[in-house]
Amino acid sequence: MLSSGIHILTITASKKTKKIYLLVSKQTMCLNLRPWLRGFSELFFPRNCKGCNSSLLHNETYLCRRCISNLPRTGFETWNENPVFQTFWGRAPIEFASSIYYYRKGELIQQLIHSLKYRNNREAGLFLGRIAGRQLIKSKLYLKPDYIVPVPLHPKKLRSRGYNQSELIACGLSETLGVPVSNELMMKIKHTASQTRKSHYERWENVDGIFKTREQQAFENTHILLIDDVITTGATLEACCNALLATPWVRVSILTIGYASR
Ligand SMILES: [Zn+2]
């Protein structure tokens, strides 16, 4: 019996849905059970940090505060002519560009992005989008966009992966920034081979003309925040930008989670 005099008749826990089911006396229907249900749920299904495996505190999700603070922040969002912005000098006339973390091999940030792209870890994308949004919104250089547009995948790739990793990041960002995601109006019209082993010129050649906007009018006179997981040479983002910049009066900014320095 609870202190409020409510009788719990049965408690069942489902590992699959991660929910606790309570069969209680009729009175409980009027009570807000959520706060203690959550605590109760954590008793049965403790949540651990995906970085260090320690137990997460009540207000932490996915990563503990310590692991978040150990991620290699770039601070580029507070610096107008940062290295990501400079990547596009002479290539695409953008408003602003930034990456939130240095993308380094063997580090947690690489593991998170790798599991998002190749191991169906969709939660990582939403989480990274949310924390990126929290950093971006604090910057004095932040200009609220009208739409968040994830770099699209070719339909063939989307079918084999089952989701677009950049769209998940965009959804996390959208929650924090309060800006809608538009994933219908940009499309990838050519299936391209992986960029990983290509030279700078080959990467550019590989992606030239691969993106197209569906309805240019929808983007007219708007500011778009273009999202990708990692920037390396910027060839993919440049191709995407150029497709968007064909729209009259459009302004484009770029944000990625990782910055792979060359
Ligand atoms: Zn941790």
Side-chain angles (χ1 to χ4, degrees):
M1 197 176 97
L2 299 174
S3 56
S4 52
I6 308 300
H7 291 272
I8 297 177
L9 305 177
T10 320
I11 303 174
T12 44
S14 160
K15 203 171 180 181
K16 201 174 171 189
T17 59
K18 300 215 161 111
K19 281 181 181 163
I20 302 279
Y21 300 96
L22 302 177
L23 179 62
V24 291
S25 58
K26 279 183 185 172
Q27 292 159 276
T28 53
M29 299 303 289
C30 308
L31 300 174
N32 181 12
L33 298 173
R34 196 171 292 168
W36 65 264
L37 261 180
R38 190 173 165 189
F40 222 73
S41 157
E42 283 166 16
L43 215 88
F44 284 88
F45 309 109
R47 300 173 311 125
N48 290 337
C49 168
K50 302 293 184 292
C52 65
N53 208 32
S54 64
S55 296
L56 289 176
L57 298 175
H58 195 63
N59 55 354
E60 293 173 336
T61 53
Y62 205 75
L63 288 186
C64 69
R65 256 181 220 175
R66 203 166 127 197
C67 283
I68 293 176
S69 64
N70 285 339
L71 291 173
R73 289 269 296 111
T74 61
F76 288 168
E77 73 281 357
T78 61
W79 171 19
N80 211 344
E81 299 197 343
N82 64 62
V84 184
F85 185 75
Q86 287 181 27
T87 303
F88 297 94
W89 277 356
R91 294 167 69 183
I94 54 168
E95 296 289 308
F96 179 73
S98 184
S99 300
I100 303 295
Y101 298 110
Y102 289 104
Y103 184 78
R104 296 174 185 150
K105 284 186 182 168
E107 291 194 5
L108 178 58
I109 190 65
Q110 191 212 15
Q111 290 160 20
L112 292 174
I113 291 175
H114 194 272
S115 70
L116 163 66
K117 283 175 86 167
Y118 306 111
R119 292 192 199 146
N120 200 26
N121 188 354
R122 304 179 193 207
E123 203 189 340
L126 293 169
F127 172 78
L128 289 169
R130 287 184 201 118
I131 55 171
R134 289 207 291 268
Q135 297 301 336
L136 190 63
I137 213 162
K138 280 192 275 185
S139 167
K140 285 179 184 166
L141 298 175
Y142 170 65
L143 294 168
K144 192 171 179 178
D146 298 297
Y147 296 106
I148 299 173
V149 174
V151 169
L153 292 182
H154 189 269
K156 211 168 150 186
K157 183 83 176 181
L158 189 61
R159 272 197 300 278
S160 68
R161 185 171 288 165
Y163 58 95
N164 176 356
Q165 74 280 2
S166 298
E167 189 181 332
L168 290 166
I169 296 168
C171 288
L173 260 171
S174 168
E175 278 179 32
T176 324
L177 303 180
V179 173
V181 175
S182 168
N183 55 3
E184 299 292 321
L185 300 175
M186 271 291 282
M187 45 184 184
K188 192 171 179 188
I189 51 175
K190 276 190 229 165
H191 188 52
T192 46
S194 167
Q195 297 275 77
T196 320
R197 292 175 192 280
K198 294 192 183 311
S199 70
H200 190 104
Y201 179 73
E202 284 169 337
R203 280 177 185 235
W204 177 84
E205 207 181 22
N206 193 35
V207 296
D208 189 32
I210 64 168
F211 297 105
K212 205 178 148 189
T213 50
R214 249 187 260 265
E215 292 168 44
Q216 278 198 344
Q217 303 94 314
F219 286 146
E220 259 184 43
N221 209 16
T222 60
H223 176 211
I224 290 167
L225 181 60
L226 186 60
I227 304 299
D228 206 359
D229 48 12
V230 178
I231 180 168
T232 308
T233 63
T236 306
L237 282 160
E238 182 188 348
C240 212
C241 262
N242 286 330
L244 287 169
L245 288 164
T247 306
W249 310 110
V250 76
R251 291 176 298 142
V252 180
S253 293
I254 290 169
L255 183 77
T256 72
I257 298 297
Y259 172 70
S261 44
R262 297 171 292 282

